[in-house]
């Protein structure tokens, strides 16, 4: 079917004759044709075979905004024109935006206010979990053992493989790097001191915390966030189940209890990796290695590592659950909050680690 | 299961011998269905009787275990992705829960199909089209720049309807259109007068 628009001048007034289909497919070209003509214009629709609402809209807006007369419209076309006219309402399509400068200032202000609200919110959330914990301890029947055990499995047992492998490799890397440097002084035996002290005191716990934040902290935020979007959490509240008790506390307990266990496992695996390295590369037999470890690692190092672990676990679970509970609206927010949860918890863990380092040194556990 | 086809029928949907099952659970067995141009077909049934699965098989989101499906004269089962494009601009689909793109505003949602198929339509005209489609969907004037998360359930559905109507479809599929909507009858008659040939409930 040939569709065309032809313009002629009849009796002084230019006339635009539209033939064939007047649909969205030709919207752009028809609009150009109409715009090209001068006022006053007559549009002849007698040759139109098919028209859709976009076509009708083009004709309608020409009539509305300009000095345009429509002739030759069939009953059906006429009907559609009226129909479209009925839906010409001042619908807002784009959000209102102020000038760039004020927008930048207001964005900065909103950001600051948001940060403040988040901090207050985190404090409030911390309080709510403490109240929840108190409720659970005073009424042990409300303690959800199954949920906690399930979290133990997800947070702890299933992380053994990846954390073990990671720590094993870190042990080898520390051994290798240490040996290269210490060999220059002929002091490669001190590689064992390096491996032993750094993994037990610092890296075992820290790397485990980072891994748990990435694995479980993100999962907490995503799970709770999705439940928030699907209104599961609202449903829970209306039934009378406290989301803090049912969702947050099991995750919190699991993270707090699993973190030291995982950290201990990470220390062992690092020592194993380092041990294998010094055996194969420096020729120090395993027995000597173990004996030497016993001599150089003070027991306080182990305490330092293990005392930090549950605190880190608590921070990770708190940040994850808090961000998850903050999710509102759409699925994009879940991703955003999950990222924030991981970044926040790793940042807080490192800050706290520094605080712990200072604290333990000053009480003489250096 | 077969129904007499009226005379002078131009079929827009033809389903023959459709079978669907999930594992052991049989949803459809040897189902035949013909929908003619201009016909409004409502499918009624209890929960879990396969209404949505039937719609999904017809629009090609679910590959049936057996059977043929033809929509607007084109085969829907096992066809190439390119062929499917032609048909996709001729139908509009309203999903059960609206299925609006949550990161786009209502107006942008309505503009998505238009942008996809007619990229040369300029922004001012595009906005005008979106604006009257939103009014047609029965949404208030301030709904355009809102995000789906800021809308009520019924408004999400209306926005979904506005998006389904974006390309003036020949064929309109509505999955549970009345759930969450008040005076739907008026809307339906409106969509029909706009040249929609077949509906689905």
């Amino acid at each position: 079917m040939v569709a065309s628009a032809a313009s002629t001048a009849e009796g002084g007034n230019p006339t635009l004759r539209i033939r064939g289909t007047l649909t969205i497919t030709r919207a752009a070209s028809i609009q150009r044709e109409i715009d090209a003509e001068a006022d006053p214009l007559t549009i002849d629709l007698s040759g139109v075979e098919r028209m859709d609402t976009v076509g009708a809209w083009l004709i309608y807006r020409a009539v509305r905004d300009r000095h345009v007369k429509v002739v030759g419209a069939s009953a059906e076309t006429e009907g559609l024109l009226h129909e479209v006219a009925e839906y010409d309402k001042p619908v807002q399509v784009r959000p209102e935006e102020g000038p760039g400068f004020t927008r930048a200032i207001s964005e900065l202000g909103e950001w600051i206010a948001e940060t403040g609200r988040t901090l207050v919110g985190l404090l409030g959330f911390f309080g709510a979990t403490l109240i929840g914990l108190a409720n659970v301890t005073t009424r042990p029947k409300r303690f959800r053992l199954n949920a906690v055990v399930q979290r133990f499995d997800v947070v702890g047992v299933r992380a053994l493989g990846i954390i073990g492998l990671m720590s094993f490799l870190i042990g080898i890397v520390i051994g290798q790097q240490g040996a290269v440097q210490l060999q220059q002084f002929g002091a490669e035996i001190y590689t064992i001191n390096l491996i032993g002290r750094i993994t037990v005191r610092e890296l075992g716990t820290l790397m485990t915390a980072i891994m748990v934040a990435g694995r479980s902290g993100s999962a907490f935020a995503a799970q709770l966030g999705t439940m928030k979007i699907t209104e599961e959490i609202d449903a829970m509240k209306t039934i009378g189940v406290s989301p803090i008790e049912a969702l947050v506390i099991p995750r919190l307990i699991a993270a707090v209890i699993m973190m030291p266990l995982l950290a201990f496992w990470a220390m062992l695996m690092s020592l194993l990796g380092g041990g294998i390295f010094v055996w194969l590369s420096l020729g120090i037999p395993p027995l000597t290695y173990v004996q030497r470890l016993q001599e150089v690692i003070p027991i306080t190092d182990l305490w330092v590592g293990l005392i930090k672990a549950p605190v880190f676990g608590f921070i990770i679970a708190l940040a994850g659950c808090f961000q998850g509970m903050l999710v509102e609206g759409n699925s994009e927010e879940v991703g955003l909050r999950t990222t924030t949860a991981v970044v926040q918890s790793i940042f807080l863990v490192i800050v706290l680690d520094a605080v712990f380092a200072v604290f333990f040194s000053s009480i003489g556990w250096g | 299961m077969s129904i007499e086809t009226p005379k002078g029928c131009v079929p827009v949907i033809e389903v023959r011998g459709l079978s669907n099952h999930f594992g052991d659970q049989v949803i459809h067995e040897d189902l035949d269905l013909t929908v003619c141009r201009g016909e409004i077909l409502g499918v009624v049934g209890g929960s879990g009787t396969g209404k949505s699965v039937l719609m999904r098989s017809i629009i090609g989101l679910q590959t049936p275990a057996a059977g043929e499906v033809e929509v607007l004269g084109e085969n829907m089962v096992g066809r190439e992705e390119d062929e499917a494009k032609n048909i996709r601009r001729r139908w509009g689909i309203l999903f059960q829960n609206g299925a609006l793109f949550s990161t786009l505003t209502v107006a942008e949602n309505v503009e998505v199909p238009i942008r996809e198929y007619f990229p040369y339509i300029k922004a001012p005209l595009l906005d005008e089209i979106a604006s009257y489609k939103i009014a047609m969907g029965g949404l208030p004037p301030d709904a355009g720049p809102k995000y789906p998360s800021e809308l009520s359930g019924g408004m999400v559905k209306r926005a979904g309807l506005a998006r389904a109507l974006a390309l003036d479809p020949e064929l309109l599929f509505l999955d549970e259109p009345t759930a969450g909507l008040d005076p739907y009858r008026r809307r339906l008659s409106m969509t029909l007068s706009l040249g929609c040939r077949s509906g689905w409930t």
Side-chain angles (χ1 to χ4, degrees):
Chain A
M1 164 185 348
V2 184
S4 68
S7 87
T8 50
E10 283 168 17
N13 271 9
T15 303
L16 186 69
R17 219 179 287 282
I18 299 172
R19 292 199 194 84
T21 54
L22 178 49
T23 58
I24 188 167
T25 332
R26 297 179 57 212
S29 62
I30 295 276
Q31 194 195 356
R32 264 200 308 279
E33 305 269 3
I34 295 175
D35 287 348
E37 300 292 336
D39 284 343
L41 175 70
T42 309
I43 298 179
D44 185 355
L45 294 179
S46 56
V48 170
E49 287 159 31
R50 215 172 90 78
M51 181 165 82
D52 68 358
T53 59
V54 175
W57 180 259
L58 287 173
I59 303 297
Y60 165 75
R61 78 205 277 262
V63 174
R64 183 189 63 184
D65 301 339
R66 294 175 47 184
H67 191 64
V68 169
K69 204 169 72 182
V70 174
V71 293
S74 66
E76 208 178 322
T77 321
E78 194 78 44
L80 200 49
L81 284 174
H82 281 301
E83 192 94 46
V84 169
E86 203 180 307
Y87 292 108
D88 179 21
K89 288 173 188 155
V91 173
Q92 195 188 350
V93 173
R94 310 233 163 262
E96 278 165 29
E97 281 179 354
F101 178 68
T102 41
R103 213 168 46 204
I105 291 205
S106 87
E107 257 168 40
L108 179 71
E110 262 167 40
W111 181 75
I112 290 172
E114 180 63 39
T115 311
R117 270 199 297 275
T118 308
L119 276 179
V120 174
L122 185 61
L123 204 63
F125 189 74
F126 181 57
T129 33
L130 287 186
I131 293 172
L133 269 176
N135 283 343
V136 168
T137 23
T138 48
R139 275 158 288 185
K141 268 191 186 163
R142 274 162 67 175
F143 182 67
R144 288 169 169 77
L145 186 67
N146 281 346
V148 176
V149 171
Q150 200 196 350
R151 290 297 136 203
F152 280 172
D153 178 45
V154 178
V155 176
V157 180
R158 278 162 207 259
L160 283 177
I162 185 69
I163 288 179
L165 181 66
M166 177 189 72
S167 305
F168 183 79
L169 295 175
I170 285 176
I172 293 177
V173 171
I174 296 170
Q176 199 261 334
Q177 292 297 317
V180 168
Q181 299 302 321
L182 292 168
Q183 253 166 355
Q184 295 174 18
F185 309 102
E188 57 262 48
I189 192 71
Y190 285 101
T191 309
I192 300 173
N193 299 43
L194 185 68
I195 297 171
R197 294 211 61 183
I198 203 166
T199 52
V200 172
R201 198 180 166 91
E202 280 296 329
L203 282 188
T205 309
L206 194 62
M207 296 307 285
T208 307
I210 289 172
M211 192 53 101
V212 169
R215 251 187 112 261
S216 305
S218 61
F220 293 169
Q223 285 160 355
L224 298 197
T226 312
M227 291 178 85
K228 197 82 190 290
I229 285 190
T230 54
E231 296 181 316
E232 276 175 69
I233 287 178
D234 294 341
M236 247 180 199
K237 280 184 196 157
T238 55
I239 292 169
V241 179
S242 152
I244 297 275
E245 282 174 32
L247 299 172
V248 177
I249 287 180
R251 285 171 171 77
L252 216 62
I253 292 177
V256 168
I257 294 181
M258 281 299 134
M259 256 306 290
L261 298 179
L262 284 172
F264 189 68
W265 164 248
M267 293 167 196
L268 284 184
M269 289 305 283
S270 295
L271 292 180
L272 182 68
I276 288 175
F277 172 81
V278 295
W279 184 22
L280 296 180
S281 175
L282 306 179
I284 300 169
L287 257 182
T288 319
Y289 177 71
V290 172
Q291 210 171 15
R292 180 98 186 134
L293 280 181
Q294 247 178 342
E295 286 164 17
V296 299
I297 307 176
I299 192 70
T300 49
D301 272 13
L302 183 66
W303 297 137
V304 170
L306 290 184
I307 287 171
K308 286 192 287 193
V311 180
F312 291 173
F314 185 82
I315 293 289
I316 291 166
L318 194 72
C321 293
F322 174 62
Q323 291 294 338
M325 290 298 228
L326 280 188
V327 167
E328 251 160 34
N330 54 33
S331 47
E332 196 186 23
E333 184 123 329
V334 178
L336 219 65
R337 292 288 177 191
T338 307
T339 315
T340 315
V342 175
V343 172
Q344 246 177 20
S345 48
I346 291 179
F347 176 73
L348 285 174
V349 160
I350 289 174
V351 169
L352 270 181
D353 195 49
V355 173
F356 272 124
V358 174
F359 172 74
F360 286 126
S361 305
S362 59
I363 62 167
W365 281 12
Chain B
M1 174 172 151
S2 85
I3 305 161
E4 289 266 312
T5 313
K7 285 200 177 95
C9 166
V10 184
V12 286
I13 300 175
E14 278 214 278
V15 179
R16 279 183 301 273
L18 180 79
S19 295
N20 268 314
H21 40 75
F22 298 127
D24 291 342
Q25 197 189 355
V26 177
I27 312 286
H28 305 126
E29 180 107 66
D30 201 19
L31 186 145
D32 289 344
L33 172 74
T34 305
V35 181
C36 305
R37 193 164 281 266
E39 208 175 17
I40 303 171
L41 176 73
V43 177
V44 182
S47 306
T49 48
K51 302 185 293 290
S52 294
V53 176
L54 178 56
M55 185 181 106
R56 290 175 67 86
S57 317
I58 292 174
I59 60 183
L61 288 176
Q62 163 105 30
T63 311
E68 288 171 42
V69 179
E70 253 182 37
V71 178
L72 298 166
E74 303 218 21
N75 179 30
M76 295 303 295
V77 183
R79 73 211 169 323
E80 295 292 316
E81 211 29 43
D82 289 355
E83 297 170 42
K85 272 221 145 181
N86 286 324
I87 199 107
R88 287 197 186 128
R89 47 166 281 202
R90 294 170 65 191
W91 70 27
I93 295 157
L94 168 63
F95 286 91
Q96 220 168 54
N97 297 315
L100 294 180
F101 304 120
S102 56
T103 53
L104 302 179
T105 64
V106 170
E108 284 165 343
N109 261 286
V110 175
E111 288 172 7
V112 165
I114 307 175
R115 275 180 207 279
E116 180 65 28
Y117 290 104
F118 305 102
Y120 45 80
I121 291 184
K122 298 216 168 55
L125 180 60
L126 201 60
D127 284 357
E128 281 184 38
I129 295 176
S131 128
Y132 79 71
K133 298 283 178 189
I134 289 169
M136 275 179 185
L139 286 166
D142 60 348
K146 283 189 179 156
Y147 284 93
S149 55
E150 300 169 81
L151 301 179
S152 76
M155 283 166 83
V156 165
K157 206 137 238 188
R158 286 173 191 279
L161 182 63
R163 189 179 68 185
L165 291 174
L167 293 176
D168 284 332
E170 294 171 43
L171 185 60
L172 190 62
F173 293 90
L174 309 166
D175 195 0
E176 304 267 1
T178 46
L181 271 195
D182 29 308
Y184 193 72
R185 202 142 272 292
R186 208 177 72 84
R187 301 270 155 251
L188 199 62
S189 62
M190 173 213 78
T191 56
L192 286 167
S193 68
L194 288 175
C196 288
R197 303 293 145 79
S198 292
W200 185 281
T201 329

